[in-house]
């Protein structure tokens, strides 16, 4: 369990600890947690396939379960996945490669990992896959401290209109895919961290048995995994930027030779750190 405390409470604790340290005294605190266990629950993936001009497959994944309100983990990612499904389902937007879209279940529950369930249940799609894209935490607004701190520790935080920084990791570090990410920044204003990364966190770890490029799009802003993850902390322009970019990314990846997506001799690096 983890929690956030406000500026005034934090300031109070700091003063108590400072005074105790100066007096050579020990400070003790007690926290209580109320919880309940539920058994007999199950999670099921929802999988949709949009046939492309080629039988080769691009997998698009967004997990559908959440802690608390879950607007940023992963309501925003799921919203982008649905937008992509609606876009590419139109006949005039038929993708070059077939798309497998997964609303993944059981992300936050031990033993119910959606990606592994997809891999096990869909061997033909997995066999034809050339890339996996994990859409996870993509449009939560950025928060920064205000300019002033009151004498009692109160501090204002300012919510930006734009989204917090987003890390985009490509396990095989394909130059072609990294170039597309940079184009996302230039064309659509996606707030990607500039440093290329082989990061493969969250849902991506469940796809690690697939020997193809795994792309992770993920942010972890201040309200991540808290009760503050409500709809009003989501950047609506950020959702649109990410949806437009990923539509472009899928379109360009669909046209590219498989050797550009998965360069020969450039195996995916294993840096998958799954969430619980």
């Amino acid at each position: 369990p983890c929690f956030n405390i406000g500026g005034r409470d934090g300031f109070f604790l700091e003063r108590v600890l400072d005074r105790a340290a100066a007096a050579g005294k020990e400070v003790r605190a007690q926290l209580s947690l109320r919880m309940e266990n539920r058994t007999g629950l199950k999670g099921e993936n929802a999988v949709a396939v949009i046939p492309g001009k080629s039988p080769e497959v691009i997998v698009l994944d967004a997990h559908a379960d959440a802690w608390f309100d879950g607007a940023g983990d992963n309501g925003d990612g799921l919203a982008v996945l649905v937008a992509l499904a609606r876009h590419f389902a139109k006949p005039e937007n038929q993708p070059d490669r077939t798309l497998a879209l997964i609303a993944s279940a059981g992300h936050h529950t031990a033993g119910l990992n959606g990606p592994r369930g997809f891999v096990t249940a869909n061997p033909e799609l997995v066999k034809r896959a050339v890339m996996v894209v994990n859409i996870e935490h993509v449009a939560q607004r950025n928060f920064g401290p205000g300019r002033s701190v009151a004498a009692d520790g109160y501090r204002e935080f300012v919510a930006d209109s734009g989204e917090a920084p987003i890390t985009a990791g490509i396990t095989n570090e394909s130059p072609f895919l990294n170039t597309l990410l940079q184009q996302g920044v230039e064309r659509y204003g996606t707030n990607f961290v500039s440093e290329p990364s082989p990061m493969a966190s969250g849902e991506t770890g469940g796809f690690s048995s697939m020997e193809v490029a795994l792309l992770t799009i993920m942010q972890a802003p201040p309200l991540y995994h808290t009760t503050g993850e409500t709809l009003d902390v989501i950047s609506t322009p950020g959702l649109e930027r990410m949806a437009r970019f990923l539509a472009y990314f899928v379109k360009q990846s669909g046209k590219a030779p498989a050797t550009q997506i998965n360069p020969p001799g450039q195996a995916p690096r294993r840096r998958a750190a799954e969430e619980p």
Side-chain angles (χ1 to χ4, degrees):
C2 57
F3 60 93
N4 294 343
I5 60 174
R8 288 191 175 104
D9 291 334
F11 186 62
F12 169 76
L13 288 174
E14 286 180 351
R15 288 190 299 170
V16 169
L17 292 170
D18 287 344
R19 290 180 181 179
K25 295 183 178 180
E26 183 180 86
V27 175
R28 294 186 179 184
Q30 180 176 328
L31 301 176
S32 61
L33 174 68
R34 182 183 300 172
M35 59 175 292
E36 61 177 301
N37 289 324
R38 299 185 182 185
T39 59
L41 304 178
K42 64 179 181 178
E44 294 181 343
N45 293 336
V47 180
V49 176
I50 300 177
K53 300 169 187 176
S54 164
E56 291 185 331
V57 174
I58 294 175
V59 177
L60 302 172
D61 175 89
H63 73 79
D65 61 328
W67 288 339
F68 310 112
D69 287 76
D73 178 21
N74 187 37
D76 53 359
L78 190 62
V80 170
L81 182 76
V82 171
L84 293 172
R86 288 175 174 169
H87 174 76
F88 286 110
K90 295 177 181 179
E92 64 269 26
N93 296 328
Q94 182 187 18
D96 288 275
R97 285 189 167 98
T98 295
L99 302 182
L101 301 100
I102 313 165
S104 176
H107 175 73
H108 290 110
T109 306
L112 294 177
N113 183 275
R116 290 195 185 90
F118 169 81
V119 170
T120 300
N122 299 276
E124 283 303 313
L125 290 174
V126 170
K127 183 179 179 181
R128 292 188 276 123
V130 297
M131 180 173 62
V132 176
V133 181
N134 173 29
I135 310 167
E136 190 170 351
H137 330 154
V138 296
Q140 199 169 137
R141 293 162 67 187
N142 198 34
F143 280 72
R147 296 192 176 194
S148 61
V149 178
D152 63 353
Y154 176 77
R155 180 184 301 237
E156 285 189 337
F157 272 74
V158 178
D160 297 340
S161 60
E163 64 275 24
I166 305 165
T167 298
I170 300 172
T171 53
N172 68 357
E173 301 175 281
S174 158
F176 169 75
L177 296 180
N178 271 313
T179 297
L180 286 183
L181 291 177
Q182 184 59 42
Q183 289 173 356
V185 177
E186 296 167 355
R187 294 172 63 101
Y188 302 101
T190 48
N191 195 20
F192 289 137
V193 175
S194 58
E195 183 70 18
S197 170
M199 181 270 290
S201 190
E203 286 275 281
T204 310
F207 295 104
S208 59
S209 63
M210 297 172 62
E211 295 296 325
V212 297
L214 307 178
L215 168 61
T216 306
I217 296 176
M218 180 180 289
Q219 59 179 190
L223 296 178
Y224 169 58
H225 279 185
T226 74
T227 53
E229 257 192 51
T230 55
L231 185 59
D232 56 348
V233 303
I234 300 301
S235 166
T236 300
L239 282 173
E240 183 173 344
R241 279 189 283 271
M242 186 56 66
R244 289 183 180 277
F245 162 68
L246 282 176
Y248 171 79
F249 183 91
V250 169
K251 184 176 180 180
Q252 298 303 313
S253 298
K255 294 177 179 179
T259 52
Q260 283 191 310
I261 297 173
N262 296 290
Q266 200 161 335
R269 289 171 61 180
R270 298 303 179 205
R271 273 184 53 185
E274 297 179 58
E275 290 183 28

